[in-house]
């Protein structure tokens, strides 16, 4: 991956913190999120940082508005565990990636105590009803390998700091 050359799409980007960081490093970045308020805030952050606010779009991750094979990298950070149709999301990521493009995925480690529902409620400051309405379908390294079976696994299922399971996959 090369700054200034490669286009990265952060799927489920929230208000775009990775877009800000990677954009400042010189990558061509774009993001998509379902939440209109987060997209609005993210566009403000991008504008304040001197980056293109139009790079953050409102949209559905299982129906991306990108041409086939048009992206160099997709990021799915803290996303798959919240999706009911994760297979559709992975298939869509595969569709928009060029051959040799990379999918970088991180999901919370289901065995780490910080992700237990009661602790998550305490630490988040969000209401119990909001937390409970947000699905958490934890994934393991094996789950990532299964979901990305059509990709070549570069790194998969390794833990980072005990709290995250990360995979790096390349489109064949």
């Amino acid at each position: 991956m090369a700054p200034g050359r490669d286009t990265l799409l952060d799927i489920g980007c929230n208000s775009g913190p990775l877009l800000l960081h990677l954009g400042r490093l010189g990558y061509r970045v774009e993001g998509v999120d379902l939440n209109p308020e987060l997209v609005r805030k993210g566009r403000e952050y991008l504008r304040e940082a001197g980056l293109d606010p139009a790079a953050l779009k409102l949209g559905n991750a299982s129906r991306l508005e990108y041409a086939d094979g048009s992206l160099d990298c997709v990021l799915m950070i803290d996303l798959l565990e919240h999706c009911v149709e994760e297979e559709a999301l992975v298939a869509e990521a595969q569709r928009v990636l060029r051959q040799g493009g990379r999918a970088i995925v991180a999901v919370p480690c289901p065995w780490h105590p910080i992700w237990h529902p009661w602790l998550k409620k305490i630490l988040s400051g969000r209401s119990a009803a909001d937390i409970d309405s947000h699905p958490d379908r934890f994934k393991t390294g094996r789950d990532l390998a299964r979901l990305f079976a059509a990709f070549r696994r570069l790194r998969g299922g390794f833990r980072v700091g005990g709290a995250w399971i990360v995979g790096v996959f390349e489109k064949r």
Side-chain angles (χ1 to χ4, degrees):
M1 304 302 314
R5 187 189 81 199
D6 292 328
T7 302
L8 289 73
L9 174 65
D10 187 1
I11 302 173
C13 66
N14 200 294
S15 61
L18 282 176
L19 299 179
L20 288 170
H21 178 71
L22 294 168
R24 287 178 180 139
L25 292 175
Y27 287 95
R28 295 186 328 222
V29 293
E30 299 197 19
V32 64
D33 200 277
L34 275 173
N35 185 316
E37 182 58 22
L38 291 174
V39 169
R40 185 192 64 72
K41 284 181 185 176
R43 287 176 178 164
E44 287 177 26
Y45 299 148
L46 290 169
R47 188 177 300 107
E48 289 169 6
L51 299 169
D52 182 9
L56 203 155
K57 297 172 178 65
L58 183 64
N60 187 323
S62 19
R63 290 184 302 279
L64 296 170
E65 296 182 12
Y66 291 88
D68 295 0
S70 61
L71 300 170
D72 300 296
C73 181
V74 294
L75 305 171
M76 291 183 254
I77 310 300
D78 191 22
L79 173 67
L80 289 174
E81 70 277 9
H82 303 300
C83 298
V84 176
E85 299 176 349
E86 62 267 7
E87 289 88 359
L89 190 143
V90 172
E92 187 67 353
Q94 184 177 16
R95 181 188 69 78
V96 300
L97 278 171
R98 66 167 173 76
Q99 189 167 353
R102 305 248 168 115
I104 300 173
V105 185
V107 294
C109 180
W111 307 286
H112 197 277
I114 197 168
W115 302 118
H116 288 269
W118 59 269
L119 187 56
K120 195 165 64 166
K121 289 176 186 178
I122 292 168
L123 295 175
S124 72
R126 292 173 18 209
S127 75
D130 182 39
I131 289 285
D132 292 337
S133 70
H134 202 66
D136 285 323
R137 299 164 42 114
F138 287 109
K139 307 288 179 248
T140 64
R142 282 192 182 134
D143 293 328
L144 291 185
R146 178 187 54 79
L147 283 168
F148 290 87
F151 288 72
R152 184 167 74 99
R153 184 169 62 170
L154 301 177
R155 300 275 318 256
F158 63 97
R159 287 201 229 174
V160 177
W164 295 95
I165 297 174
V166 177
V168 180
F169 304 91
E170 183 177 77
K171 182 177 176 180
R172 295 177 192 207

